Amino acid sequence: MIKASALALLLVLGFSSLTTQAQVKDFSLKEAQDYALKNNYQAKNAIIDVAIAARKVKENLATGLPQVSGNISYTNFINLATQLIPGEFFGGEPGTYMEVQFGTKHNASMDGQISQLIFNGAYFVGLKAAKTFEQMSQLQLEQVEQDVKQAITNAYYLVLVSMENKNLMLETVSTMEKLLADTKAMYKQGFMQDTDVDKLVLLHSDLKTNLLNADNQISNASYLLKFNLGMKVTDEIHLTDNLQTLLMAINPESVLGTDFDKDAHVSYRLMESQEIMSELQWKLARTEFMPTVSGFLSQTQNAQRNEFNMFDLDEKWFPTTLAGLQISIPIFSSGARYHKVKQARMEMEKTHNTKTQVSESLIMGAVTAKNNFSIAVETYQNKRENFSLSQKIYNKEQIKYKNGVSSSTDLNQSYNQLLESQGTYLGAMMDMMNKKLELDKAYNLL
């Protein structure tokens, strides 16, 4: 009974495991993007960076609030220090010394201190810098999210295009198999030569090899998509969006008619934050010429015993209380602070120059992306028409071949033209979709 129960349990767990492994997750393009924004490795780190920046702001704020510290110490004088005091102090002979031990064997102290920063220029500048750093982290997260969306969309397109390539291959294989069967039948009846059959067999073999390559392309594209999603390569996914639907969603006239606004671009906004940060670094260097003012309150309790009875509440502890104000004034640094301010000023000028460079780069990138997309659209339309034409030529060549009007060489030539036009058509399709992605990113529309 025990063995039977154990076996039944193992079977149930095994079926449960198989069911779990067999689960397939469906993704539309939008769902894939949303999933990646939470699970992509780069996106998760960017989210953590935002949380770290928020904690950094609180950390800097806390340094200007009251600080409390405490200490507890215990000292056991195994041998008390001996002092030699001239004997005449105690009525003895001049030139002689008395051995005297001061203090007690057991000593303990407890002290607590409260300090409060009253004025520090670096503290106030640091607060602004921490908040700016938090804003930069938010912008960097937005930038990472755009990169992730672009990577997901690109991989999603690649899977769909690879699947479309396989579908076209399957249609060609099906047609070739039918033609091969007809040719074999005609050969048996004496209307075809054995070389004609052999040539078709070679073409059919090439097609099957290309079909294997198409399967491999789908697998590799799926692995890339799952990696960008933050999933394991062993996970199963199913894409619910259709390639033709996504192609129809691309409206070249609308996209090419969009105006570019560099001020709204995340890279430009990030550069503006970097500019603010460089100005704060300059101000921070200048604060080293300012004094620092802080106040403190200290309370100390001391116990001195010849026996270890520190926890005896009847014994006395001796208090010491201090309150004070500390002012630290920078006076002379041999020019170190001066040169530090000058360096910060130069770094700020470099940031201004970089900001201008980024601005011009974004404008140039937007113009380039628009031109590239426009050319890609025309190329795709041209390659689509060429592919359609090559399909017609191949189909007609098959009919002519069946009727004995065309040779196997002509059929092979039209077949190679079909494969070439199919490859360039799918390549142009992928290029157009990628150029659309690049344009959306250049316009900050992802």
Side-chain angles (χ1 to χ4, degrees):
M1 288 295 293
I2 294 175
K3 290 182 178 180
S5 299
L7 180 60
L9 179 60
L10 288 174
L11 288 173
V12 170
L13 291 176
F15 283 125
S16 175
S17 175
L18 288 173
T19 303
T20 301
Q21 293 177 0
Q23 287 181 347
V24 179
K25 190 167 183 61
D26 293 335
F27 284 111
S28 66
L29 177 56
K30 180 65 169 57
E31 289 170 343
Q33 290 175 342
D34 293 340
Y35 183 91
L37 292 181
K38 296 179 181 178
N39 297 279
N40 177 272
Y41 307 110
Q42 188 179 4
K44 287 196 290 188
N45 284 340
I47 293 172
I48 294 174
D49 286 339
V50 172
I52 291 174
R55 293 291 181 181
K56 192 68 178 178
V57 172
K58 294 180 180 179
E59 176 193 348
N60 288 1
L61 179 63
T63 58
L65 300 178
Q67 307 292 310
V68 181
S69 61
N71 294 287
I72 299 176
S73 67
Y74 164 74
T75 304
N76 183 350
F77 287 94
I78 298 174
N79 289 306
L80 285 173
T82 301
Q83 303 291 330
L84 296 179
I85 299 178
E88 58 265 30
F89 286 1
F90 298 95
E93 294 292 330
T96 61
Y97 293 91
M98 297 287 293
E99 296 179 359
V100 180
Q101 291 180 322
F102 295 100
T104 55
K105 183 177 178 59
H106 301 280
N107 294 274
S109 68
M110 296 185 297
D111 69 83
Q113 181 171 330
I114 301 176
S115 61
Q116 172 61 56
L117 182 67
I118 298 174
F119 176 78
N120 186 335
Y123 170 72
F124 299 106
V125 175
L127 280 180
K128 294 180 180 178
K131 291 180 179 178
T132 303
F133 177 70
E134 184 180 15
Q135 294 172 357
M136 289 179 63
S137 299
Q138 291 283 358
L139 291 172
Q140 287 170 346
L141 173 60
E142 183 179 339
Q143 195 171 52
V144 167
E145 288 177 343
Q146 290 195 2
D147 292 339
V148 169
K149 284 183 178 180
Q150 183 182 22
I152 289 296
T153 307
N154 181 275
Y156 200 99
Y157 287 163
L158 186 59
V159 173
L160 292 181
V161 170
S162 299
M163 293 172 65
E164 178 68 12
N165 180 47
K166 180 182 178 180
N167 292 335
L168 293 174
M169 286 287 181
L170 287 172
E171 291 178 5
T172 306
V173 168
S174 177
T175 304
M176 179 60 68
E177 288 176 345
K178 184 178 180 181
L179 179 62
L180 180 58
D182 293 341
T183 303
K184 287 181 178 179
M186 295 175 70
Y187 166 70
K188 291 179 180 180
Q189 295 176 4
F191 295 105
M192 288 286 184
Q193 298 180 0
D194 58 346
T195 55
D196 295 322
V197 176
D198 292 339
K199 289 180 180 179
L200 287 183
V201 170
L202 287 175
L203 287 177
H204 182 258
S205 178
D206 288 341
L207 272 174
K208 292 178 68 176
T209 302
N210 291 335
L211 194 59
L212 290 175
N213 290 330
D215 283 328
N216 185 55
Q217 290 175 357
I218 294 174
S219 297
N220 292 338
S222 297
Y223 293 152
L224 177 61
L225 177 58
K226 285 184 281 189
F227 174 78
N228 288 328
L229 284 168
M231 302 175 68
K232 297 178 181 178
V233 294
T234 54
D235 293 338
E236 295 293 332
I237 61 174
H238 174 251
L239 309 188
T240 59
D241 275 340
N242 181 275
L243 180 60
Q244 296 304 319
T245 302
L246 293 176
L247 284 171
M248 290 175 62
I250 298 177
N251 187 346
E253 291 77 13
S254 175
V255 174
L256 295 174
T258 304
D259 294 328
F260 176 67
D261 182 11
K262 70 174 178 61
D263 295 330
H265 200 284
V266 62
S267 297
Y268 187 77
R269 288 182 284 133
L270 190 58
M271 201 62 235
E272 286 181 323
S273 295
Q274 184 63 51
E275 185 180 41
I276 294 173
M277 184 66 79
S278 68
E279 291 176 357
L280 290 173
Q281 290 293 330
W282 173 60
K283 292 180 180 179
L284 182 63
R286 295 174 62 189
T287 61
E288 295 191 13
F289 289 96
M290 301 178 183
T292 300
V293 183
S294 59
F296 65 89
L297 174 65
S298 175
Q299 175 70 25
T300 304
Q301 296 286 122
N302 294 297
Q304 301 173 7
R305 310 275 196 271
N306 285 317
E307 296 180 359
F308 186 81
N309 56 359
M310 301 303 173
F311 301 103
D312 189 347
L313 299 179
D314 294 331
E315 294 292 334
K316 194 171 183 179
W317 287 74
F318 304 97
T320 302
T321 304
L322 299 174
L325 188 70
Q326 182 176 351
I327 302 176
S328 177
I329 303 174
I331 297 176
F332 184 66
S333 66
S334 298
R337 287 189 292 268
Y338 171 79
H339 294 299
K340 189 173 182 179
V341 171
K342 288 297 183 182
Q343 290 179 64
R345 179 70 183 183
M346 293 175 186
E347 290 292 339
M348 186 170 63
E349 291 177 1
K350 284 174 58 180
T351 307
H352 291 329
N353 294 336
T354 304
K355 179 185 174 183
T356 303
Q357 181 185 16
V358 168
S359 175
E360 293 302 317
S361 176
L362 290 173
I363 295 173
M364 180 185 68
V367 173
T368 303
K370 179 179 284 190
N371 292 337
N372 289 342
F373 176 65
S374 179
I375 296 297
V377 170
E378 293 184 10
T379 302
Y380 165 70
Q381 292 172 347
N382 177 265
K383 298 303 179 183
R384 182 180 59 187
E385 293 175 359
N386 289 346
F387 175 60
S388 178
L389 183 60
S390 66
Q391 283 180 315
K392 291 180 180 180
I393 294 174
Y394 179 66
N395 292 334
K396 289 181 179 180
E397 201 64 44
Q398 283 182 324
I399 296 173
K400 291 167 66 177
Y401 178 77
K402 288 180 182 180
N403 295 327
V405 180
S406 176
S407 66
S408 58
T409 302
D410 295 330
L411 180 63
N412 186 39
Q413 184 178 358
S414 65
Y415 162 73
N416 289 330
Q417 288 178 344
L418 175 64
L419 288 184
E420 182 180 356
S421 62
Q422 178 178 318
T424 56
Y425 161 65
L426 293 175
M429 178 193 297
M430 192 69 198
D431 184 62
M432 181 192 69
M433 298 171 87
N434 285 336
K435 290 298 188 292
K436 170 64 166 54
L437 270 178
E438 293 172 5
L439 182 60
D440 286 344
K441 188 174 183 181
Y443 275 62
N444 202 60
L445 297 175
L446 285 176

